[in-house]
Amino acid sequence: MATVNNNGPNQDSNPNTNTVASAKQTIPVAKTVDTQSVLKRLQSELMALMMSGDAGISAFPEEDNIFCWKGTISGSKDTVFEGTEYKLSLSFPSDYPFKAPKVKFETTCFHPNVDLHGNICLDILQDKWSSAYDVRTILLSVQSLLGEPNTSSPLNNQAAALWGNQEEYRKMVEKLYKPIA
Amino acid sequence: METEGQNCRMGSYIYRPKKTKKVFERIRGASVIHILSHTLYFLSLYLSLYLFSDQVRVFPILERVDSAMISDSIPKASISMASSTPKNLPKKKRANRSAKVKQNKLVARRGQFISQVKNKIGCKDEANGEGGLHGGASVHPENERGQAMEKLEINPRGEEEIYGDGSPMNHYSDSESSPLNSPTSHTSSVLGSNGSGVQFTASSRSGSSSGRSSSSSSNGCCSEIMSEDDEEDDCLDDWEALADALAATEKKEEVHNPESEFDSPPEKHGIGSQSSGVVINPEIGGMAVKRDPELCRAWSPDDAFRPQSLPNLSKQYSFPLISERQLSRGGPVWGCKNVGGTVPTSCPICCEDLDCTDSSFLPCLCGFRLCLFCHKRILEQDARCPGCRKQYDRDDSIEKEATLDGGSLTIRLARSCSMITRS
């Protein structure tokens, strides 16, 4: 996706140089409009998330920046992550929702698709992103990812290897789990 | 008969203030002179009866129509007497007088209406027939009652006479007399609010009765009409609230009308209590009497006399209709009026409201809708439908190029439109 993202701006810049300065004027105007539209989108998402009342997920913007949210997800029942709760950070780009937000685990998560820095390998957060997704669907997807990892392309090879032994895996989760302060 | 008149007044009056106005107008034009002559005559009769007869006697007389016949001879001689008596009455009684007068007026008007409607309505015929049978005699009972009531009553009756024509007059008088005579008649005092105008008319009439000047009587009629109009306005405000309660009573009244007078007074009490603040009701009721047969049913939407203040059901239906029209308008523009799926009110991407063009814009077979701005932006990037991740049609990619070139944009748009219609 990163490449795709880069292509977009490049395409825009090329015509600008080719045509005239008038194109340059349109760009900043478009950006301000985008910012407003992004704000509206994020506000409506927040409203929808607060009203949905989905169990096990929550998110709220940081103090002064609506482009940075803090979210929490709890491990689903009947999974090795049951009873655990994880904190995530969501950073929305200025061209959200056309680009996916950056989602990271703030809480250490022993998971095949989460590296030691909390980066998440999830298709919908990369090349499978769709502007139709929102914070709620992202958090639900991450929550479901916990119980259904993709061990074929792991970021955490140890976790991927241990996934076959759920009892041992559960012990590792409990051992490495550091509750949210 | 009497009860019918009273009952009818209450209910009908509330329902159709406008009709009452029309009736008044008719009365003015057609029978003013006739009414005036009658009023003078009746006033004299009432005064004489009042002077000679004890109230105790009057009540039983009122109850019985036959008794009314007896009183006929009395009034003529006592005309001079009557004129003097009303002047002597104390102010306290004025309120009651005015109320009574109003009732009488209403009754008379009602009677006129009934007579007019007679031919049309069978039910009314019965009541009218009684009045017609009694003829002048029936008038007398009214006089008796009025005498029994008070001197003031005489004036109102005079008004009744003015408005009423022969038989209808009798009905009015009966209805009036019954309320007045019965203990419940005091409830009529509620009408006092109207009283001011009515009293004035009454005084003028009394003077006219003594002098028998037609001009004075005519003035009285005008003043009465004016007061009635004012009352009607008031009634318009309250009539809706009263309508439901009155409807039931009216039906009962109509049924009982042919029966004894006794039924009517209690009904009036009930009505008076209901109307309470709505003093106007009794007068209107008188007007409405002719309507009674029709009144059994509520306003019909196409009724010409239906108050405009009533909620109009058709208006309520108009809203959804309008919305449908708007949607249909949007459809034809794109030629895809009935595209399946529910149309979201706002773009799921930018959360902006979808206008008619956007809501009729279906870029992908999956049915995912978005606004044209977001669609264009997506086309400039990966050109995948947010709903299904499928590439938008090649037409779209071509369109994108076209937009960049700024050349054959319109042609491309035409293609996209055709695509939409397919979907």
Side-chain angles (χ1 to χ4, degrees), chain A residues 34 41 44 99 128 130 133, chain B residues 348-349 351 377 381 386 389:
Chain A
D34 289 348
R41 158 92 182 207
S44 66
K99 296 295 178 292
K128 293 295 185 184
S130 166
Y133 288 130
Chain B
I349 307 304
C351 300
R377 182 155 182 170
Q381 298 180 4
R389 293 201 190 86

Side-chain angles (χ1 to χ4, degrees), chain B residues 399-417:
Chain B
E399 177 182 348
K400 167 186 168 185
E401 293 176 357
T403 56
L404 291 175
D405 297 341
S408 60
L409 178 58
T410 55
I411 297 172
R412 305 301 179 191
L413 288 175
R415 284 190 188 178
S416 66
C417 289

Side-chain angles (χ1 to χ4, degrees), chain B residues 75-278:
Chain B
K76 293 179 180 178
S78 63
I79 293 171
S80 62
M81 297 297 290
S83 63
S84 63
T85 53
K87 293 177 181 177
N88 294 336
L89 292 175
K91 293 180 180 179
K92 292 180 181 179
K93 292 181 180 179
R94 283 186 180 180
N96 293 338
R97 298 176 187 173
S98 62
K100 293 177 181 178
V101 172
K102 289 181 179 179
Q103 290 179 348
N104 292 335
K105 291 179 180 179
L106 293 176
V107 174
R109 294 175 185 175
R110 173 185 158 201
Q112 291 177 347
F113 286 102
I114 294 170
S115 63
Q116 293 176 350
V117 180
K118 275 185 179 180
N119 296 335
K120 295 179 180 178
I121 300 165
C123 296
K124 291 178 179 178
D125 293 345
E126 293 178 355
N128 293 336
E130 292 178 356
L133 293 175
H134 293 288
S138 63
V139 174
H140 294 286
E142 295 178 357
N143 294 337
E144 292 177 353
R145 293 177 185 176
Q147 294 174 351
M149 293 306 292
E150 288 177 357
K151 296 175 182 178
L152 295 179
E153 291 176 355
I154 296 168
N155 294 336
R157 290 181 181 177
E159 292 176 355
E160 291 177 354
E161 293 175 355
I162 293 169
Y163 289 101
D165 298 339
S167 62
M169 292 294 294
N170 295 335
H171 291 290
Y172 305 127
S173 64
D174 291 345
S175 61
E176 291 175 354
S177 63
S178 62
L180 294 174
N181 293 336
S182 64
T184 59
S185 65
H186 292 287
T187 57
S188 65
S189 64
V190 175
L191 299 176
S193 64
N194 297 337
S196 62
V198 175
Q199 289 177 351
F200 179 81
T201 59
S203 63
S204 65
R205 288 181 181 178
S206 64
S208 66
S209 65
S210 62
R212 287 193 179 182
S213 63
S214 62
S215 63
S216 63
S217 63
S218 64
N219 293 339
C221 295
C222 294
S223 63
E224 292 176 356
I225 294 166
M226 295 299 291
S227 64
E228 290 175 355
D229 292 346
D230 295 343
E231 292 176 356
E232 290 177 356
D233 294 343
D234 295 341
C235 291
L236 290 176
D237 297 340
D238 295 338
W239 75 270
E240 290 180 348
L242 296 176
D244 293 343
L246 292 176
T249 56
E250 286 181 355
K251 291 180 180 178
K252 291 180 180 179
E253 290 176 356
E254 290 178 354
V255 174
H256 293 286
N257 288 342
E259 296 177 359
S260 65
E261 296 175 356
F262 291 95
D263 294 345
S264 63
E267 290 178 353
K268 280 190 174 181
H269 268 296
I271 296 167
S273 62
Q274 293 175 350
S275 63
S276 69
V278 184

Side-chain angles (χ1 to χ4, degrees), chain A residues 85-141:
Chain A
E85 196 172 37
Y86 299 92
K87 190 174 183 180
L88 298 94
S89 66
L90 298 88
S91 176
F92 298 94
S94 60
D95 53 355
Y96 180 82
F98 299 100
K99 296 295 178 292
K102 295 175 182 175
V103 182
K104 288 180 65 176
F105 271 98
E106 299 273 295
T107 307
T108 303
C109 181
F110 183 69
H111 189 275
N113 301 116
V114 178
D115 66 9
L116 298 177
H117 305 287
N119 296 313
I120 304 169
C121 179
L122 183 60
D123 57 356
I124 65 162
L125 294 177
Q126 297 172 23
D127 61 327
K128 293 295 185 184
W129 169 252
S130 166
S131 55
Y133 288 130
D134 57 13
V135 174
R136 175 174 168 272
T137 56
I138 290 170
L139 293 177
L140 290 173
S141 298

Side-chain angles (χ1 to χ4, degrees), chain B residues 16-35:
Chain B
R16 301 180 182 179
K18 291 181 179 180
K19 284 185 176 181
T20 58
K21 289 181 180 179
K22 286 188 175 181
V23 174
F24 287 109
E25 292 177 356
R26 295 179 186 173
I27 294 167
R28 292 180 189 171
S31 63
V32 172
I33 298 169
H34 182 75
I35 291 169

